[in-house]
Amino acid sequence: MNVSTSAITRIEGRAVVLRGSDIDTDRIMPARFLRAITFSGIEAHLFADDRAAAQAAGALHPLDGPGAAGATILLTQANFGCGSSREHAPQALLRWGFRAVVAESFSPIFAGNALTIGLVCVTASPHTIAEAMRIAEASPDNAFCVDLEHLHLGCGSTRSPVSLPESQRHAWLTGQWDATSLLLADYDDVERVEARLPYLRTTSRNA
Amino acid sequence: MAGTLFEKVWNAHAVRLLPNGQTQLYVGLHLVHEVTSPQAFDMLGARGWPVRAPHRTFATMDHIVPTAAQARPFQDVMAEAMAGALERNCRTHGIPMFDLSGGAQGIVHVIGPELGLTQPGMTIACGDSHTSTHGAFGALAFGIGTSQVRDVLASQCVAMSPLQVRQIRIDGALPPGVFAKDVILAVIRRLGINGGHGFAYEYAGSTIAGMSMDERMTICNMSIEGGALMGYCNPDDTTVAYLRGRRFVPGGDDFDVAAAGWRALASDADATYADVVEFDAATMAPTVTWGTHPGQSIAVDERLPRPADMPDAERAGVEDALTFMHLTAGRPIAGQKVDVAFIGSCTNGRLSDLREAARVARGQKVAAHVRALVVPGSQQVRWAAEAEGLDQIFEDAGFEWRRAGCSMCLAMNPDRLSGDELCASSSNRNFKGRQGSPTGRTLLMSPAMVAAAALAGEVVDIRRVLHPGVSS
């Protein structure tokens, strides 16, 4: 019953810069693309409306910019992933190729979803983000490194601090981020909780 | 020891501390719908795991169902595939399902309370961020993603970290024309759409104590729009009276025992909070969002913000939102022409919401250029509304009277905006593209304000409609 998930200690690669705060999951994955019964191929619709709007305006969305293909790190601002709980949003980012998102802050549901599927979310100060964005935009080929052991975002010789809840860091470093097998272990403990909950006795009588 | 409701319910459901530092939390009630569950059932199947407690999971379909005609198969083949997958998964695993033919279907956050599945002291999870709605009953209710839906199906548990509790105290009498929707929009406006990160919101104070369960649900529903994973109200007489006699609530002597237990869950008077924020209900006003997130709102008699007046950190966001919304800084929002009016959703699709809207619409006519929809939150809401003639009031006024579903809140069904239509909406999100057109625009407001906007064809101050002659 054990599921093998592997430890994640660092993510290296090029970065895509997505400026703006409060980027909600409806923008990351518009609802019409949720009309499906699998996640397969969903990455094709990542930021579909924003990308189409940029194209119509004669501009390039960052995901279509130079160096975006093959990038593994997304740099963005505050409250990333707010709104709908749709896991389709982090799934699309992961399937597109991102392995880490560095932001000023995350919506709690997005961060929880990302943890369960292996997409690393770390936060950094607005100053650190702004500087990393400047470097990434100056040359899309610049390589970054999110180091979960030393908790920094590296680029060239620069190192800037990043943070994440200690439980998440521990989960990544030990490979215990897929919680299902942990939840199924020692199930007697769960049964003890069930036995003490009054509503489980009365509602089951009526159901 | 004195504690908050959060602490009491959390501790009762905490199984153990996991090696990764999170808490294993038992889920007392799991609700599923057709959008976020098919992949979870597939993951379960791929690992060969059974559903651990099929009698603690309940299903309905709401997001993708058409609200005009509901004959199966649905015209949209993907919608039909999703409905079929849910039916198949529920049958395979023995999960009870409230389907379109059973009389209890509706938006998952409307039917849970309506059926009495939602009860104080439960932990409630659902693959939908507006699960916070159920916190109105004194439950810890939160949205989860699809992989966590898999976890709950497999183990009846989730892995999560505890939250701090912020008490939001709202005291005083709400002025006429000011509703629960305006209260929660005011809370989000002040505390921000990310102000609730790391917190559960406890809504307290005399204003909350005086509210019906429907109103409390509207408030808890939008906790997530303020960045709080969950929000709750303490159980009281109103909670107990609402639940008495409902289908899944214990009857007879069992009810009295349960009710005594519910009351004891309320936060103790000397409980401590990480933070307390106070609001004065008397100063609140009918509120309208003008931007592209629910924190961008103003009182209906205020003027739109000027980017130049905003703090540096907000200026670009305000400019971007005004541009997207085709709105001009410094102008009033009242008088803004609307194209569509939508009354419904898990925020404001309950019977009391429809009554408030009908009170405004009675004997009036929807403006010629406005497309107006009323979508009950559940089949039971629909029939109760029809029994008191609300459908007739709406239809006589030129509103379309629909069947239950999520409808135009999120455009996963045929109800959606086209082009850059501007919609006065009683729903919960005004994100870019939320209502189905990438350039569609949303103004969030109370159901009464939506009805008034539909009639006038523009945003109006509900206080002038309900109490003409009174200046606001």
Side-chain angles (χ1 to χ4, degrees), chain B residues 7 61 110 171 252 329 353 387-388:
Chain B
E7 290 158 346
M61 50 180 90
V110 176
D171 286 297
D353 299 313
E388 50 188 80

Side-chain angles (χ1 to χ4, degrees), chain A residues 35 87 180 185 187 189 205, chain B residues 16 26 76 147 151 155 254:
Chain A
R35 291 167 41 261
E87 189 174 301
T180 324
Y187 212 78
D189 290 350
R205 243 178 269 168
Chain B
R16 63 168 162 260
Y26 185 80
D76 176 348
S147 295
D151 289 350
S155 71
D254 285 348

